Amino acid sequence: MENLTRDQLKELIKESIREVLKEEGIQIKSNNENPILNQKIKSLNLSPMVLNAFTVNKIYIVADLIKISRKRLNGFRNIGKKGIEEIELKLKELDLELLD
């Protein structure tokens, strides 16, 4: 092999792993496929009460949020029916949704 930079070598290894997994019928999805998932929750322009509830419950990015069910969200302090509706509406705008 030629002299590869560290980044080139990392990318080559990642691609090789993807090919092997694909041959085995395994597909890996990464957050890089949808950059929205890496957005901070604050960027969604939700109400302060909802944002505070997310901070208390350690939900910082959209990827964290879509891993939560409506039922669990309902148990968060200061998130009621209207808060959940607000969250679902914002996620729908992004073509995302909460877990069932």
Side-chain angles (χ1 to χ4, degrees), residues 21-38:
L21 292 173
K22 187 175 181 180
E23 288 172 6
E24 295 297 321
I26 301 169
Q27 186 177 3
I28 297 177
K29 293 183 180 178
S30 70
N31 287 349
N32 295 338
E33 292 177 17
N34 189 347
I36 292 170
L37 297 178
N38 290 321

Side-chain angles (χ1 to χ4, degrees), residues 10-26:
K10 285 167 75 174
E11 192 56 40
L12 181 63
I13 292 169
K14 285 180 188 178
E15 188 58 38
S16 297
I17 291 170
R18 281 189 204 106
E19 286 178 22
V20 169
L21 292 173
K22 187 175 181 180
E23 288 172 6
E24 295 297 321
I26 301 169

Side-chain angles (χ1 to χ4, degrees), residues 41-42 48-80 84 87 98:
I41 290 294
K42 292 178 182 179
M49 288 184 85
V50 170
L51 291 175
N52 288 338
F54 287 158
T55 301
V56 168
N57 289 282
K58 297 181 170 100
I59 299 167
Y60 303 111
I61 62 173
V62 174
D64 298 334
L65 177 58
I66 63 170
K67 295 176 187 173
I68 296 176
S69 67
R70 288 176 193 84
K71 183 177 180 179
R72 183 167 169 228
L73 266 180
N74 206 24
F76 287 4
R77 187 172 182 195
N78 294 329
I79 295 186
I84 292 174
I87 293 163
L98 297 170

